[in-house]
Amino acid sequence: MKKISVGILGATGVVGQQYIKRLIDHPWFDITYLAASVQSAGKSYGQAVEGRWRLPEALPENIKNCYVHSINQVREASKLCTILFSAIDTQTAKIWEPQFAEAGLIVISNASAYRNDDAVPIIIPEINADHLKLVQRQKELKGWKGGLLVKPNCTVQSYLLPLHAIHQKAPIKRAIVTTMQAVSGAGYPGVASLDCLDNIVPYIAGEEDKCASEPLKIWGTLNADSIEPAKYPIFSVHCNRVPITDGHTSCVSFEFLDEKLDQDEIIELWKTFEGPPQSLQLPSAPKKPLIYRIENDRPQPRLDRDSENGMAVTMGRLRPCPVFDWRFVTLSHNTARGAAGGGVLNAELFIRSSQEEFQEATMNLALSR
Ligand code: NAP
């Protein structure tokens, strides 16, 4: 297969660096375009990230000399690549992402700028790959030659994937989610060390609303031109910033709508959970998207965030809840599955969405939500 040319907006940031790591030896994709702010534009990538390359792996040799473009070089980008991963802040994304989509690129965004747009799907491939059809409609709805699809907030998949495995068998009525989110979730340099060390910050701007509403759009029904959000479950979310480098943990209590499942049934659903990424053999798909740990003291960010190359969600401590039905702890890597890894998985899914196997793999998704 001839490799597909891809670009990264915000290539120098925390998420951008994860994209470099995940794309540099990708079997389908080839990095041909990088862009960042005026601070980095015009430099080589090696110069632009000097002193702020924050991954344990060495900066790949073959990216060091790549030119970093300014974000306004839209025409240049449309000549150099087909898919564009966006890892820029929301305000910048609001202005620029539609311009790249209009110029014919398929933009896959990590920013929240268009998550509430009726014509833009929020995709978690295991849950709503069928919502990708909306991207084809954007030509008419938005006048774009290309398209835009987005990833949810970096915390959402940590609790939505395990809840989804349950919800498709026995619907959930409501859930309380308390998050403990890593400092890397705020980008680099992010939260000041004096604010985060020896501390918990019980507020992350805008995060609780996103964590409550995005799941309902992901679980929603695809209409001709938009997605009708699901009515259930009702989420109450508390978001906290904690002094952890990477990995967002959530404590979840939930109540069933009607039928109740027992502990063994829930654990079995988690163990056997699969989705289109597995059956379509997408290169970034974890073999096991959900991992249940039986030890009482798991999951832990340091021990579990890198499971399946940072693409799995790890759960533990499923036990009865005296207020709702069940409670558990869940964890996923915010810059891997929660950002660049999730973005690359979405791109792989998009590539396969034009193929016949995709229809077969996603046929029952809408029915199961
Ligand atoms: P970051 O470390 O602050 O990186 C921001 C990137 O955007 C840098 O490459 C920066 O370039 C570039 N940039 C800033 N202003 C720009 C402008 N005006 N024009 C063009 N490029 C500009 O942030 P991040 O954590 O990687 O987050 C990026 C996006 O992903 C945000 O929307 C964030 O909410 C979302 N996200 C983050 C995470 C996470 O865990 N960190 C997870 C999911 C989603 P310079 O280096 O040149 O300044």
Side-chain angles (χ1 to χ4, degrees):
M1 165 177 172
K2 187 174 177 295
K3 285 200 176 186
I4 296 159
S5 302
V6 299
I8 308 165
L9 293 182
T12 48
V14 167
V15 176
Q17 293 182 18
Q18 269 283 341
Y19 271 119
I20 300 282
K21 170 185 157 176
R22 283 167 189 273
L23 292 167
I24 199 77
D25 293 318
H26 195 282
W28 299 0
F29 301 134
D30 197 16
I31 305 172
T32 52
Y33 177 86
L34 304 174
S37 78
V38 285
Q39 170 190 305
S40 309
K43 295 180 182 170
S44 70
Y45 189 74
Q47 287 169 337
V49 295
E50 201 177 337
R52 58 185 178 128
W53 176 255
R54 67 171 297 278
L55 296 177
E57 300 85 0
L59 177 62
E61 280 302 320
N62 47 349
I63 202 78
K64 276 185 181 164
N65 293 326
C66 287
Y67 181 77
V68 180
H69 292 258
S70 152
I71 196 157
N72 60 9
Q73 292 171 311
V74 178
R75 263 172 65 91
E76 185 76 359
S78 68
K79 282 187 217 147
L80 290 175
C81 59
T82 312
I83 291 178
L84 189 62
F85 297 100
S86 169
I88 48 180
D89 62 278
T90 294
Q91 298 311 323
T92 313
K94 190 95 196 158
I95 299 165
W96 291 101
E97 286 178 352
Q99 300 195 39
F100 288 98
E102 195 178 343
L105 289 151
I106 296 298
V107 181
I108 297 183
S109 178
N110 290 89
S112 61
Y114 290 94
R115 289 191 200 136
N116 289 330
D117 190 301
D118 276 354
V120 177
I122 308 178
I123 303 288
I124 294 186
E126 286 87 350
I127 301 179
N128 64 336
D130 54 315
H131 285 185
L132 274 184
K133 285 192 195 110
L134 201 50
V135 177
Q136 314 304 333
R137 293 281 299 128
Q138 291 170 355
K139 285 188 178 57
E140 239 174 276
L141 297 170
K142 300 277 196 184
W144 294 338
K145 281 194 250 157
L148 171 64
L149 60 125
V150 301
K151 255 205 76 296
N153 175 278
C154 51
T155 324
V156 166
Q157 74 281 328
S158 73
Y159 54 90
L160 196 60
L161 273 163
L163 286 178
H164 178 68
I166 301 166
H167 188 68
Q168 31 178 10
K169 175 87 177 149
I172 293 165
K173 182 179 171 191
R174 48 190 183 157
I176 294 179
V177 179
T178 303
T179 74
M180 288 160 276
Q181 299 180 219
V183 285
S184 64
Y188 188 83
V191 189
S193 55
L194 267 181
D195 289 337
C196 76
L197 287 174
D198 184 31
N199 203 13
I200 291 174
V201 182
Y203 175 68
I204 306 174
E207 203 85 346
E208 290 175 350
D209 288 345
K210 292 177 200 164
C211 287
S213 65
E214 290 176 16
L216 300 180
K217 182 166 177 183
I218 294 165
W219 266 331
T221 307
L222 179 66
N223 297 325
D225 294 344
S226 64
I227 291 151
E228 172 78 29
K231 294 204 169 39
Y232 288 104
I234 295 161
F235 283 97
S236 169
V237 186
H238 307 254
C239 291
N240 303 285
R241 185 73 72 199
V242 297
I244 294 292
T245 52
D246 293 307
H248 290 350
T249 304
S250 302
C251 293
V252 182
S253 287
F254 68 93
E255 182 181 44
F256 287 110
L257 187 62
D258 296 312
E259 184 198 353
K260 295 185 193 298
L261 301 180
D262 66 27
Q263 191 175 32
D264 289 345
E265 288 171 316
I266 294 171
I267 292 173
E268 188 58 21
L269 286 172
W270 284 343
K271 279 188 180 159
T272 54
F273 180 74
E274 281 198 353
Q278 286 72 38
S279 59
L280 290 169
Q281 299 180 329
L282 305 184
S284 302
K287 284 193 188 69
K288 283 181 147 295
L290 297 178
I291 296 171
Y292 184 72
R293 301 292 308 222
I294 54 166
E295 303 91 325
N296 273 333
D297 59 356
R298 303 291 280 272
Q300 294 182 21
R302 226 166 354 118
L303 301 179
D304 297 304
R305 64 191 166 206
D306 291 322
S307 297
E308 296 265 8
N309 198 22
M311 292 297 285
V313 177
T314 306
M315 298 84 63
R317 302 206 63 220
L318 178 69
R319 61 213 190 278
C321 172
V323 180
F324 287 172
D325 289 317
W326 292 101
R327 52 192 166 149
F328 63 98
V329 185
T330 180
L331 163 85
S332 81
H333 197 306
N334 53 298
T335 66
R337 176 63 165 211
V344 174
L345 188 63
N346 274 347
E348 294 166 359
L349 186 77
F350 182 82
I351 298 298
R352 295 280 259 141
S353 65
S354 57
Q355 300 170 357
E356 220 170 271
E357 299 92 316
F358 180 83
Q359 312 307 334
E360 213 173 292
T362 58
M363 207 157 49
N364 292 321
L365 281 184
L367 292 174
S368 69
R369 284 196 299 270

